[in-house]
Amino acid sequence: MIRFKRALIYTGFWTLWLVVFSVMFVLLTVAVVGIPSGIMMSGLGLIILLFKADFVITELAPEIMLFGGAAAAFFSAFLGALAVKLGFRISHLFVRIRKRNEEPY
């Protein structure tokens, strides 16, 4: 009975770990793609404003590119930090589960 309970606890943990890993993978992918893209968009908006580059044909106003790109970069960085925080939480949960299952009953 004790072995079954331990196996059930570990199975539940690894199932939760797979879900958390999938969410972390998506969040880190968004961060890896979003941060450079936001910085580049913000930089392009700034360059268009500074040099009065009206020859750049875009659908967006330079101000929207500047502040929207910065907002996208910061939001992507937040999502990356959230993924790292989820990783710390699931690691802490594993340590608690391991300590609970290693002590004798």
XYZ file of all heavy atoms in Angstrom:
828
model
N 0.824 -1.203 0.000
C 0.000 0.000 0.000
C 0.865 1.264 0.000
O 0.536 2.231 -0.678
C -0.928 -0.048 1.222
C -1.874 1.090 1.292
S -3.030 0.998 -0.080
C -4.028 2.374 0.256
N 1.952 1.209 0.759
C 2.821 2.386 0.840
C 3.519 2.619 -0.493
O 3.640 3.755 -0.949
C 3.846 2.222 1.993
C 3.116 2.236 3.336
C 4.882 3.327 1.950
C 4.001 1.927 4.512
N 3.977 1.543 -1.155
C 4.618 1.694 -2.453
C 3.647 2.238 -3.492
O 4.026 3.052 -4.337
C 5.163 0.357 -2.932
C 6.482 0.030 -2.343
C 7.083 -1.095 -3.130
N 7.499 -2.118 -2.191
C 7.892 -3.314 -2.520
N 7.866 -3.674 -3.780
N 8.271 -4.173 -1.626
N 2.412 1.777 -3.432
C 1.397 2.269 -4.367
C 1.145 3.759 -4.152
O 1.031 4.518 -5.112
C 0.098 1.466 -4.195
C -1.004 1.954 -5.081
C -0.963 1.713 -6.442
C -2.063 2.663 -4.556
C -1.973 2.164 -7.275
C -3.081 3.133 -5.379
C -3.031 2.876 -6.741
N 1.090 4.170 -2.893
C 0.857 5.591 -2.587
C 2.023 6.447 -3.086
O 1.817 7.514 -3.671
C 0.674 5.766 -1.084
C 0.308 7.166 -0.674
C 0.058 7.251 0.818
C -0.269 8.659 1.229
N -0.464 8.775 2.676
N 3.251 5.960 -2.880
C 4.419 6.697 -3.364
C 4.418 6.784 -4.883
O 4.700 7.837 -5.460
C 5.705 6.030 -2.885
C 5.991 6.250 -1.443
C 7.269 5.584 -1.047
N 7.514 5.761 0.375
C 8.472 5.169 1.038
N 9.293 4.355 0.426
N 8.621 5.393 2.322
N 4.118 5.673 -5.536
C 4.075 5.661 -7.001
C 2.988 6.600 -7.513
O 3.181 7.302 -8.507
C 3.837 4.245 -7.505
N 1.866 6.632 -6.841
C 0.774 7.525 -7.237
C 1.172 8.988 -7.066
O 0.888 9.818 -7.944
C -0.481 7.212 -6.411
C -1.769 7.871 -6.852
C -2.150 7.375 -8.233
C -2.875 7.571 -5.860
N 1.854 9.306 -5.982
C 2.304 10.685 -5.747
C 3.316 11.103 -6.820
O 3.219 12.192 -7.390
C 2.894 10.833 -4.329
C 1.775 10.753 -3.288
C 3.650 12.151 -4.182
C 2.267 10.698 -1.855
N 4.282 10.226 -7.114
C 5.278 10.552 -8.139
C 4.648 10.652 -9.526
O 5.018 11.508 -10.323
C 6.404 9.526 -8.153
C 7.479 9.818 -7.126
C 7.804 8.888 -6.144
C 8.175 11.012 -7.145
C 8.784 9.144 -5.211
C 9.156 11.291 -6.217
C 9.456 10.354 -5.250
O 10.427 10.622 -4.337
N 3.678 9.796 -9.821
C 2.990 9.868 -11.109
C 2.226 11.178 -11.236
O 2.253 11.829 -12.294
C 2.034 8.678 -11.271
O 2.778 7.470 -11.127
C 1.356 8.704 -12.625
N 1.570 11.574 -10.181
C 0.873 12.866 -10.189
C 1.836 14.023 -10.369
O 1.552 14.976 -11.112
N 2.985 13.944 -9.704
C 3.967 15.018 -9.857
C 4.476 15.096 -11.285
O 4.582 16.181 -11.853
C 5.148 14.833 -8.901
C 6.273 15.758 -9.221
C 6.201 17.099 -8.887
C 7.399 15.315 -9.913
C 7.218 17.973 -9.211
C 8.419 16.175 -10.237
C 8.330 17.509 -9.880
N 4.823 13.953 -11.883
C 5.384 13.984 -13.232
C 4.348 14.434 -14.259
O 4.695 15.077 -15.252
C 5.992 12.643 -13.608
C 7.270 12.409 -12.856
C 7.490 11.460 -11.917
C 8.474 13.185 -12.935
N 8.770 11.582 -11.410
C 9.394 12.635 -12.028
C 8.866 14.276 -13.685
C 10.672 13.142 -11.849
C 10.151 14.781 -13.509
C 11.032 14.218 -12.606
N 3.094 14.137 -14.011
C 2.036 14.650 -14.888
C 1.952 16.171 -14.779
O 1.877 16.877 -15.794
C 0.685 14.015 -14.516
O 0.816 12.598 -14.563
C -0.415 14.469 -15.458
N 1.984 16.678 -13.552
C 1.977 18.127 -13.342
C 3.230 18.755 -13.948
O 3.163 19.839 -14.551
C 1.891 18.450 -11.850
C 1.911 19.925 -11.475
C 0.656 20.620 -11.986
C 2.041 20.086 -9.975
N 4.373 18.071 -13.832
C 5.613 18.587 -14.389
C 5.528 18.727 -15.901
O 6.019 19.708 -16.462
C 6.777 17.667 -14.010
C 8.085 18.177 -14.490
C 8.910 19.066 -13.874
C 8.721 17.845 -15.737
N 10.016 19.300 -14.648
C 9.923 18.575 -15.801
C 8.389 17.012 -16.791
C 10.796 18.478 -16.873
C 9.256 16.920 -17.868
C 10.443 17.642 -17.897
N 4.913 17.752 -16.570
C 4.769 17.839 -18.018
C 3.915 19.040 -18.428
O 4.230 19.738 -19.397
C 4.153 16.559 -18.573
C 5.101 15.387 -18.724
C 4.347 14.143 -19.129
C 6.170 15.704 -19.744
N 2.858 19.301 -17.684
C 2.003 20.459 -17.977
C 2.784 21.754 -17.759
O 2.767 22.657 -18.609
C 0.728 20.420 -17.107
C -0.053 21.714 -17.229
C -0.134 19.227 -17.485
N 3.491 21.840 -16.637
C 4.262 23.050 -16.336
C 5.389 23.233 -17.351
O 5.658 24.347 -17.795
C 4.802 23.003 -14.892
C 5.805 24.115 -14.632
C 3.656 23.099 -13.911
N 6.028 22.148 -17.753
C 7.082 22.240 -18.756
C 6.531 22.768 -20.076
O 7.174 23.596 -20.729
C 7.743 20.877 -18.969
C 8.746 20.872 -20.084
C 10.007 21.403 -19.875
C 8.428 20.366 -21.327
C 10.948 21.424 -20.902
C 9.344 20.378 -22.360
C 10.615 20.905 -22.145
N 5.365 22.300 -20.466
C 4.759 22.774 -21.721
C 4.460 24.268 -21.651
O 4.745 25.015 -22.601
C 3.479 22.003 -22.007
O 3.736 20.637 -22.118
N 3.914 24.714 -20.538
C 3.616 26.142 -20.369
C 4.911 26.950 -20.353
O 5.006 28.006 -20.989
C 2.796 26.376 -19.079
C 2.673 27.844 -18.760
C 1.421 25.740 -19.213
N 5.922 26.446 -19.654
C 7.207 27.145 -19.615
C 7.828 27.238 -21.001
O 8.395 28.269 -21.366
C 8.179 26.424 -18.676
C 7.923 26.617 -17.219
S 9.039 25.638 -16.207
C 10.632 26.211 -16.760
N 7.723 26.169 -21.780
C 8.297 26.168 -23.126
C 7.633 27.228 -23.989
O 8.315 27.976 -24.705
C 8.139 24.775 -23.745
C 8.807 24.639 -25.069
C 10.180 24.534 -25.161
C 8.061 24.630 -26.232
C 10.797 24.412 -26.392
C 8.668 24.513 -27.466
C 10.048 24.403 -27.546
N 6.322 27.328 -23.906
C 5.604 28.334 -24.693
C 5.983 29.748 -24.233
O 6.246 30.633 -25.050
C 4.080 28.109 -24.602
C 3.309 29.282 -25.168
C 3.694 26.825 -25.313
N 6.019 29.972 -22.919
C 6.341 31.299 -22.404
C 7.771 31.708 -22.759
O 8.017 32.865 -23.132
C 6.142 31.342 -20.888
C 4.699 31.264 -20.395
C 4.665 31.229 -18.868
C 3.872 32.421 -20.908
N 8.706 30.779 -22.659
C 10.087 31.115 -23.004
C 10.257 31.337 -24.501
O 11.052 32.180 -24.920
C 11.036 30.030 -22.505
C 11.249 30.021 -20.994
C 12.067 28.805 -20.581
C 11.918 31.288 -20.529
N 9.497 30.618 -25.317
C 9.549 30.854 -26.761
C 9.025 32.239 -27.100
O 9.609 32.956 -27.926
C 8.738 29.775 -27.508
O 9.259 28.492 -27.166
C 8.805 29.974 -29.002
N 7.933 32.626 -26.450
C 7.393 33.981 -26.657
C 8.420 35.021 -26.228
O 8.609 36.041 -26.900
C 6.064 34.159 -25.889
C 5.644 35.616 -25.842
C 4.978 33.318 -26.523
N 9.108 34.775 -25.122
C 10.112 35.729 -24.647
C 11.294 35.822 -25.606
O 11.774 36.923 -25.906
C 10.593 35.330 -23.254
N 11.742 34.678 -26.107
C 12.901 34.679 -27.007
C 12.577 35.395 -28.319
O 13.425 36.079 -28.890
C 13.382 33.229 -27.257
C 14.317 33.137 -28.434
C 14.042 32.686 -26.010
N 11.357 35.247 -28.796
C 10.977 35.894 -30.047
C 10.527 37.341 -29.798
O 10.845 38.241 -30.580
C 9.856 35.086 -30.746
C 9.301 35.834 -31.930
C 10.373 33.733 -31.160
N 9.808 37.575 -28.721
C 9.185 38.880 -28.478
C 10.137 39.977 -28.051
O 9.949 41.138 -28.427
N 11.137 39.635 -27.267
C 12.051 40.680 -26.782
C 12.851 41.309 -27.934
O 12.837 42.538 -28.085
C 12.965 40.134 -25.663
C 12.136 39.826 -24.421
C 14.062 41.131 -25.326
C 12.905 39.110 -23.330
N 13.528 40.525 -28.769
C 14.248 41.175 -29.879
C 13.320 41.875 -30.873
O 13.659 42.949 -31.384
C 14.991 40.028 -30.560
C 15.028 38.939 -29.577
C 13.833 39.095 -28.722
N 12.165 41.280 -31.130
C 11.225 41.911 -32.064
C 10.726 43.245 -31.522
O 10.629 44.231 -32.264
C 10.040 40.994 -32.325
O 10.460 39.796 -32.897
N 10.401 43.281 -30.239
C 9.945 44.532 -29.632
C 11.027 45.596 -29.618
O 10.768 46.770 -29.879
N 12.254 45.184 -29.335
C 13.359 46.143 -29.332
C 13.602 46.682 -30.739
O 13.828 47.883 -30.923
C 14.628 45.493 -28.739
C 14.435 45.262 -27.243
C 15.854 46.359 -28.985
C 15.536 44.461 -26.595
N 13.543 45.802 -31.725
C 13.756 46.259 -33.099
C 12.644 47.194 -33.558
O 12.904 48.203 -34.222
C 13.870 45.056 -34.042
C 15.184 44.338 -33.887
S 15.415 42.807 -34.817
C 14.272 42.883 -36.115
N 11.409 46.877 -33.208
C 10.298 47.746 -33.595
C 10.409 49.095 -32.901
O 10.187 50.142 -33.509
C 8.961 47.101 -33.260
C 7.776 47.950 -33.686
S 6.205 47.266 -33.205
C 6.005 46.047 -34.470
N 10.774 49.074 -31.636
C 10.933 50.319 -30.901
C 12.078 51.147 -31.483
O 11.965 52.370 -31.630
C 11.201 50.000 -29.425
O 11.316 51.168 -28.674
N 13.176 50.488 -31.809
C 14.305 51.208 -32.405
C 13.969 51.792 -33.760
O 14.355 52.922 -34.086
N 13.222 51.052 -34.569
C 12.816 51.568 -35.869
C 11.889 52.777 -35.714
O 12.028 53.766 -36.438
C 12.129 50.479 -36.692
C 11.747 50.846 -38.117
C 12.985 51.216 -38.916
C 11.000 49.703 -38.772
N 10.976 52.703 -34.750
C 10.105 53.853 -34.500
C 10.891 55.068 -34.054
O 10.613 56.201 -34.468
N 11.894 54.848 -33.211
C 12.739 55.953 -32.748
C 13.539 56.554 -33.901
O 13.648 57.783 -34.023
C 13.678 55.463 -31.649
C 14.607 56.503 -31.035
C 13.804 57.547 -30.285
C 15.612 55.847 -30.131
N 14.073 55.713 -34.759
C 14.854 56.206 -35.904
C 13.972 57.005 -36.852
O 14.378 58.063 -37.359
C 15.543 55.029 -36.622
C 16.664 54.500 -35.737
C 16.076 55.430 -37.974
C 17.272 53.215 -36.207
N 12.761 56.524 -37.092
C 11.846 57.255 -37.968
C 11.519 58.620 -37.374
O 11.470 59.637 -38.085
C 10.567 56.439 -38.219
C 10.869 55.220 -39.062
C 9.503 57.279 -38.912
C 9.705 54.247 -39.199
N 11.350 58.679 -36.057
C 11.061 59.969 -35.406
C 12.269 60.904 -35.434
O 12.129 62.100 -35.695
C 10.622 59.745 -33.961
C 9.172 59.330 -33.750
C 8.934 59.048 -32.275
C 8.232 60.421 -34.230
N 13.453 60.381 -35.133
C 14.639 61.233 -35.047
C 15.070 61.784 -36.398
O 15.450 62.948 -36.505
C 15.801 60.457 -34.416
C 15.724 60.193 -32.921
C 16.917 59.366 -32.483
C 15.674 61.497 -32.154
N 15.039 60.973 -37.407
C 15.555 61.385 -38.705
C 14.470 61.799 -39.692
O 14.759 62.017 -40.864
C 16.414 60.264 -39.310
C 17.639 59.976 -38.505
C 17.751 58.783 -37.806
C 18.663 60.896 -38.425
C 18.882 58.512 -37.056
C 19.793 60.632 -37.684
C 19.907 59.442 -36.989
N 13.252 61.895 -39.221
C 12.121 62.301 -40.074
C 12.101 61.476 -41.362
O 12.003 62.012 -42.463
C 12.180 63.791 -40.422
C 12.264 64.702 -39.232
C 10.955 64.753 -38.499
C 11.054 65.807 -37.415
N 10.351 65.453 -36.231
N 12.234 60.182 -41.184
C 12.320 59.278 -42.333
C 10.903 58.965 -42.827
O 10.327 57.946 -42.500
C 13.050 58.005 -41.945
N 10.372 59.863 -43.624
C 9.029 59.663 -44.156
C 9.009 58.665 -45.300
O 7.943 58.238 -45.726
C 8.455 61.002 -44.641
C 8.274 61.977 -43.494
O 8.076 61.503 -42.362
O 8.350 63.197 -43.735
N 10.163 58.289 -45.801
C 10.208 57.352 -46.914
C 9.978 55.906 -46.462
O 9.802 55.034 -47.281
C 11.547 57.457 -47.654
C 12.738 57.218 -46.768
C 13.203 55.927 -46.555
C 13.390 58.285 -46.169
C 14.298 55.711 -45.747
C 14.483 58.068 -45.361
C 14.941 56.780 -45.146
N 10.016 55.670 -45.141
C 9.733 54.332 -44.638
C 8.226 54.119 -44.691
O 7.459 54.861 -44.086
C 10.266 54.164 -43.201
C 9.909 52.804 -42.660
C 11.760 54.389 -43.174
N 7.822 53.131 -45.444
C 6.399 52.896 -45.649
C 5.932 51.835 -44.659
O 6.282 50.668 -44.772
C 6.119 52.435 -47.092
C 6.614 53.497 -48.060
C 4.650 52.147 -47.282
C 6.580 53.053 -49.495
N 5.181 52.270 -43.687
C 4.581 51.344 -42.728
C 3.151 51.770 -42.485
O 2.758 52.908 -42.744
C 5.321 51.351 -41.372
O 5.248 52.657 -40.818
C 6.759 50.922 -41.518
N 2.372 50.864 -41.963
C 0.985 51.162 -41.612
C 0.897 51.815 -40.238
O -0.119 52.398 -39.904
C 0.162 49.868 -41.616
C 0.027 49.233 -42.978
C -0.909 50.008 -43.882
O -1.882 50.586 -43.371
O -0.645 50.035 -45.095
N 1.966 51.696 -39.452
C 1.940 52.199 -38.086
C 2.607 53.568 -37.988
O 3.568 53.860 -38.696
C 2.672 51.233 -37.152
C 2.080 49.832 -37.035
C 3.002 48.968 -36.210
C 0.708 49.887 -36.415
N 2.096 54.362 -37.080
C 2.741 55.640 -36.790
C 4.030 55.363 -36.008
O 4.128 54.369 -35.281
C 1.806 56.519 -35.974
N 5.024 56.221 -36.153
C 6.293 55.984 -35.442
C 6.133 55.931 -33.924
O 6.829 55.172 -33.247
C 7.162 57.173 -35.852
C 6.549 57.730 -37.072
C 5.110 57.363 -37.041
N 5.211 56.727 -33.393
C 5.001 56.722 -31.943
C 4.453 55.377 -31.479
O 4.833 54.865 -30.417
C 4.038 57.842 -31.531
C 4.572 59.240 -31.749
C 4.366 59.732 -33.173
O 3.694 59.052 -33.976
O 4.911 60.805 -33.502
N 3.551 54.814 -32.268
C 2.998 53.504 -31.914
C 4.090 52.446 -32.007
O 4.165 51.542 -31.174
C 1.793 53.173 -32.816
C 0.648 54.120 -32.492
C 1.365 51.725 -32.636
C -0.550 53.952 -33.382
N 4.943 52.558 -33.014
C 6.044 51.605 -33.131
C 7.000 51.731 -31.950
O 7.451 50.720 -31.401
C 6.798 51.828 -34.438
C 6.014 51.453 -35.668
S 6.879 51.816 -37.187
C 8.211 50.649 -37.120
N 7.288 52.950 -31.547
C 8.215 53.181 -30.445
C 7.679 52.621 -29.139
O 8.315 51.775 -28.496
C 8.501 54.680 -30.306
C 9.376 55.122 -29.142
C 10.777 54.570 -29.313
C 9.403 56.628 -29.053
N 6.489 53.051 -28.748
C 5.960 52.640 -27.450
C 5.360 51.234 -27.485
O 5.440 50.494 -26.502
C 4.939 53.660 -26.954
C 5.560 54.990 -26.665
C 5.271 56.096 -27.439
C 6.478 55.125 -25.638
C 5.864 57.318 -27.184
C 7.080 56.346 -25.371
C 6.769 57.445 -26.150
N 4.789 50.845 -28.609
C 4.275 49.483 -28.731
C 5.388 48.451 -28.724
O 5.250 47.387 -28.132
N 6.491 48.758 -29.383
C 7.636 47.849 -29.370
C 8.239 47.718 -27.984
O 8.601 46.618 -27.556
N 8.352 48.837 -27.286
C 8.884 48.782 -25.920
C 7.948 47.993 -25.006
O 8.395 47.180 -24.191
C 9.095 50.193 -25.377
N 6.647 48.214 -25.151
C 5.680 47.477 -24.343
C 5.738 45.984 -24.657
O 5.665 45.142 -23.748
C 4.274 48.018 -24.575
N 5.867 45.638 -25.930
C 5.954 44.225 -26.312
C 7.223 43.590 -25.751
O 7.198 42.443 -25.288
C 5.923 44.098 -27.831
N 8.325 44.303 -25.782
C 9.579 43.761 -25.245
C 9.480 43.547 -23.739
O 9.894 42.502 -23.222
C 10.734 44.700 -25.569
N 8.927 44.516 -23.023
C 8.803 44.367 -21.572
C 7.810 43.274 -21.204
O 8.030 42.516 -20.250
C 8.408 45.693 -20.925
C 9.558 46.639 -20.763
C 9.592 47.826 -21.455
C 10.614 46.334 -19.927
C 10.652 48.705 -21.322
C 11.682 47.196 -19.775
C 11.703 48.388 -20.481
N 6.711 43.162 -21.941
C 5.743 42.109 -21.658
C 6.336 40.733 -21.949
O 6.105 39.780 -21.187
C 4.458 42.326 -22.470
C 3.385 41.331 -22.153
C 2.744 41.356 -20.927
C 3.025 40.372 -23.078
C 1.760 40.434 -20.619
C 2.041 39.444 -22.785
C 1.400 39.474 -21.554
N 7.111 40.625 -22.999
C 7.775 39.358 -23.302
C 8.794 39.001 -22.226
O 8.925 37.835 -21.847
C 8.454 39.427 -24.661
O 7.512 39.629 -25.676
N 9.500 39.998 -21.722
C 10.445 39.758 -20.631
C 9.712 39.307 -19.369
O 10.179 38.430 -18.637
C 11.261 41.013 -20.353
N 8.541 39.890 -19.118
C 7.731 39.462 -17.976
C 7.317 38.003 -18.130
O 7.347 37.235 -17.163
C 6.498 40.356 -17.841
C 5.467 39.815 -16.897
C 5.671 39.859 -15.531
C 4.305 39.238 -17.380
C 4.729 39.342 -14.654
C 3.361 38.733 -16.528
C 3.566 38.773 -15.157
N 6.917 37.607 -19.332
C 6.521 36.215 -19.557
C 7.703 35.269 -19.362
O 7.554 34.169 -18.830
C 5.925 36.053 -20.951
C 4.568 36.711 -21.171
C 4.099 36.484 -22.594
C 3.539 36.218 -20.179
N 8.899 35.688 -19.763
C 10.091 34.879 -19.531
C 10.380 34.730 -18.040
O 10.722 33.639 -17.565
N 10.238 35.811 -17.291
C 10.450 35.750 -15.843
C 9.390 34.873 -15.177
O 9.684 34.145 -14.219
C 10.427 37.157 -15.250
N 8.170 34.925 -15.687
C 7.099 34.077 -15.159
C 7.420 32.605 -15.404
O 7.176 31.757 -14.533
C 5.772 34.456 -15.810
C 4.536 33.729 -15.326
C 4.249 34.071 -13.875
C 3.354 34.097 -16.200
N 7.980 32.278 -16.555
C 8.363 30.898 -16.842
C 9.451 30.419 -15.885
O 9.408 29.287 -15.396
C 8.834 30.776 -18.287
N 10.415 31.275 -15.604
C 11.478 30.908 -14.668
C 10.902 30.707 -13.270
O 11.264 29.761 -12.556
C 12.585 31.983 -14.672
C 13.582 31.753 -13.556
C 13.284 31.994 -16.013
N 9.964 31.557 -12.885
C 9.315 31.422 -11.577
C 8.548 30.108 -11.487
O 8.574 29.440 -10.445
C 8.375 32.613 -11.359
C 7.762 32.685 -10.001
C 8.778 33.077 -8.966
C 8.073 33.404 -7.669
N 9.022 33.692 -6.619
N 7.860 29.725 -12.563
C 7.174 28.433 -12.577
C 8.171 27.284 -12.419
O 7.880 26.293 -11.740
C 6.391 28.269 -13.880
C 5.069 28.989 -13.991
C 4.516 28.845 -15.400
C 4.083 28.471 -12.986
N 9.332 27.411 -13.035
C 10.366 26.384 -12.893
C 10.845 26.253 -11.455
O 11.041 25.143 -10.951
N 11.016 27.387 -10.782
C 11.413 27.343 -9.371
C 10.332 26.700 -8.515
O 10.623 25.927 -7.598
C 11.720 28.747 -8.844
C 13.066 29.262 -9.257
C 13.196 30.539 -9.771
C 14.194 28.491 -9.128
C 14.428 31.029 -10.158
C 15.444 28.971 -9.502
C 15.552 30.239 -10.019
N 9.076 27.019 -8.801
C 7.964 26.450 -8.023
C 7.887 24.931 -8.184
O 7.698 24.215 -7.207
C 6.635 27.074 -8.446
C 6.497 28.522 -8.138
C 6.202 28.724 -6.669
N 6.201 30.131 -6.357
C 5.237 30.746 -5.706
N 4.198 30.086 -5.290
N 5.328 32.032 -5.460
N 8.007 24.438 -9.410
C 7.894 23.000 -9.628
C 9.106 22.271 -9.034
O 8.981 21.155 -8.532
C 7.678 22.667 -11.119
C 7.113 21.259 -11.287
C 8.930 22.823 -11.917
C 5.692 21.105 -10.921
N 10.268 22.916 -9.032
C 11.452 22.317 -8.400
C 11.267 22.234 -6.889
O 11.621 21.222 -6.265
C 12.697 23.136 -8.717
O 12.929 23.148 -10.092
N 10.713 23.278 -6.311
C 10.455 23.279 -4.871
C 9.435 22.198 -4.514
O 9.574 21.517 -3.486
C 9.956 24.654 -4.429
C 9.667 24.750 -2.979
N 10.648 24.719 -2.017
C 8.494 24.871 -2.303
C 10.097 24.817 -0.829
N 8.787 24.899 -0.978
N 8.430 22.026 -5.346
C 7.441 20.982 -5.113
C 8.076 19.604 -5.171
O 7.756 18.723 -4.375
C 6.304 21.094 -6.136
C 5.181 20.073 -6.014
C 4.447 20.251 -4.686
C 4.231 20.197 -7.179
N 9.009 19.392 -6.095
C 9.691 18.103 -6.182
C 10.501 17.829 -4.919
O 10.506 16.699 -4.416
C 10.595 18.038 -7.401
C 11.351 16.757 -7.491
C 10.703 15.582 -7.837
C 12.706 16.715 -7.214
C 11.395 14.383 -7.902
C 13.398 15.525 -7.275
C 12.747 14.357 -7.621
N 11.178 18.834 -4.399
C 11.968 18.635 -3.179
C 11.054 18.260 -2.013
O 11.366 17.354 -1.229
C 12.796 19.907 -2.863
C 13.402 19.843 -1.478
C 13.869 20.098 -3.909
N 9.906 18.927 -1.925
C 8.956 18.580 -0.851
C 8.413 17.170 -1.007
O 8.291 16.429 -0.026
C 7.799 19.571 -0.822
C 8.170 20.886 -0.227
C 7.028 21.819 0.012
N 5.721 21.276 -0.315
C 4.640 22.001 -0.465
N 4.706 23.293 -0.304
N 3.482 21.459 -0.760
N 8.102 16.763 -2.218
C 7.580 15.416 -2.451
C 8.647 14.375 -2.153
O 8.364 13.332 -1.542
C 7.054 15.291 -3.901
C 5.753 16.061 -4.042
C 6.851 13.835 -4.293
C 5.242 16.139 -5.460
N 9.871 14.633 -2.568
C 10.946 13.679 -2.319
C 11.205 13.522 -0.824
O 11.369 12.404 -0.323
C 12.221 14.122 -3.024
C 13.281 13.035 -3.021
C 14.542 13.507 -3.618
N 15.071 14.547 -2.735
C 15.988 15.427 -3.085
N 16.470 15.415 -4.289
N 16.418 16.330 -2.238
N 11.212 14.634 -0.074
C 11.415 14.543 1.376
C 10.285 13.769 2.041
O 10.512 12.981 2.954
C 11.509 15.944 1.984
C 12.839 16.605 1.818
C 12.843 17.942 2.524
C 14.146 18.674 2.306
N 14.164 19.986 2.960
N 9.085 13.990 1.558
C 7.919 13.304 2.163
C 7.970 11.801 1.891
O 7.608 10.999 2.745
C 6.628 13.881 1.604
C 5.384 13.254 2.187
C 4.156 13.967 1.690
N 2.986 13.513 2.390
C 2.169 12.562 1.917
N 2.423 12.006 0.756
N 1.121 12.192 2.614
N 8.413 11.421 0.703
C 8.419 10.004 0.357
C 9.640 9.267 0.829
O 9.637 8.036 0.857
C 8.281 9.846 -1.169
C 6.863 10.104 -1.626
O 5.928 9.951 -0.856
N 6.726 10.504 -2.856
N 10.693 9.932 1.220
C 11.887 9.244 1.691
C 11.838 8.931 3.166
O 12.552 8.057 3.627
C 13.138 10.062 1.374
C 13.538 10.009 -0.071
C 14.803 10.797 -0.343
O 15.337 11.421 0.587
O 15.244 10.779 -1.500
N 11.015 9.634 3.921
C 10.966 9.338 5.352
C 10.195 8.042 5.575
O 9.243 7.729 4.877
C 10.333 10.493 6.122
C 8.902 10.793 5.747
C 8.389 12.048 6.399
O 9.183 12.982 6.586
O 7.197 12.080 6.708
N 10.642 7.251 6.537
C 9.974 5.946 6.769
C 8.590 6.129 7.374
O 8.338 7.064 8.134
C 10.912 5.237 7.759
C 11.682 6.332 8.396
C 11.759 7.455 7.427
N 7.695 5.208 7.056
C 6.326 5.270 7.582
C 6.196 4.437 8.813
O 6.797 3.471 9.044
C 5.332 4.771 6.517
C 5.120 5.773 5.433
C 5.863 5.735 4.259
C 4.161 6.762 5.580
C 5.652 6.654 3.259
C 3.946 7.693 4.575
C 4.694 7.620 3.419
O 4.466 8.534 2.437
